Every structure is written in structure tokens, then in C-alpha cells.
Amino acid sequence: MNIPPHSHTISLEGAFRDLESKNFKTRLAAADALSDMHDVHTRTRAVQALIKSLDDNHPAVSAQAATSLGALGMESAVEPLCKMLNHNIPFARQSAALALGKLGFKSAFAA
């Protein structure tokens, strides 16, 4: 599966909106776009949206959400990522494990 290297989503609000799209490629791009948030308020909002996307019906979107959560570096993502370690798709589980490793919080290693 080809995952776009960079999102084509052009605004923050567009990325949040696009996470709800019927098109999985649009949701995938939005999850990627949200990995690059810098201020704490926006990162917190992105983390909340991406946590919901861990349960997306398309495993590529779930995997990208996990990757983006790892990039955002917020401890609130640890528990949802730990739950994703039981995902039925191997590359989604791997994305969660890699994100947890990137986060590096002690609570992540308890899982």
C-alpha cells in the first residue's frame, strides 16, 4: 500500500474535518498532516482526534494515526496505543509499537 509521504491537507481545520471523510486516502492524509503540530493546544486537539482514528475501519488510517501520535510526543497517547497492540492487522500493531517506543514514557514500557 502506498502511503503518501506528505499530506495534501492545506489547513488545520481541514485536517480535522478530513479525518471524518468517507475516503480512506483523505483520512490517511489528514492523520499524516496532524503529526506536525507545534503548540500544546493544537497538539492536544490533534492527539484527541488521532486517538479516535486508531479505531478507523481502514488499517492504514489506524497505522498512520499511531505513527502521528508517536510524532506528537504526548503521554496521553500511551494507553490508546497500548490497546492497539492487540490490533488484528500486523502492520497496525507494528505502528503502535513503534509509536510507543518513540514516545519513550515509562508507562509505555509497562505494556
Side-chain angles (χ1 to χ4, degrees), residues 20 23 30-31 51 53 58-59 63 70 83 86 95 100:
E20 304 297 323
N23 184 309
I51 286 171
S53 292
H58 198 288
K83 289 178 183 175
N86 295 317
S95 295
L100 286 165

Side-chain angles (χ1 to χ4, degrees), residues 28-102:
L28 185 65
D32 177 52
L34 290 174
S35 70
D36 193 29
M37 301 294 112
H38 299 288
D39 71 90
V40 174
H41 174 71
T42 305
R43 281 194 353 235
T44 300
R45 198 169 156 215
V47 166
Q48 292 168 349
L50 289 165
I51 286 171
K52 290 179 185 176
S53 292
L54 292 175
D55 293 326
D56 194 276
N57 63 357
H58 198 288
V61 177
S62 298
Q64 181 57 54
T67 300
S68 293
L69 286 167
L72 289 170
M74 295 186 71
E75 191 168 10
S76 60
V78 170
E79 185 177 334
L81 286 168
C82 286
K83 289 178 183 175
M84 195 173 161
L85 293 173
N86 295 317
H87 199 285
N88 60 337
I89 304 294
F91 78 86
R93 287 194 306 268
Q94 181 181 20
S95 295
L98 291 170
L100 286 165
K102 189 168 186 175

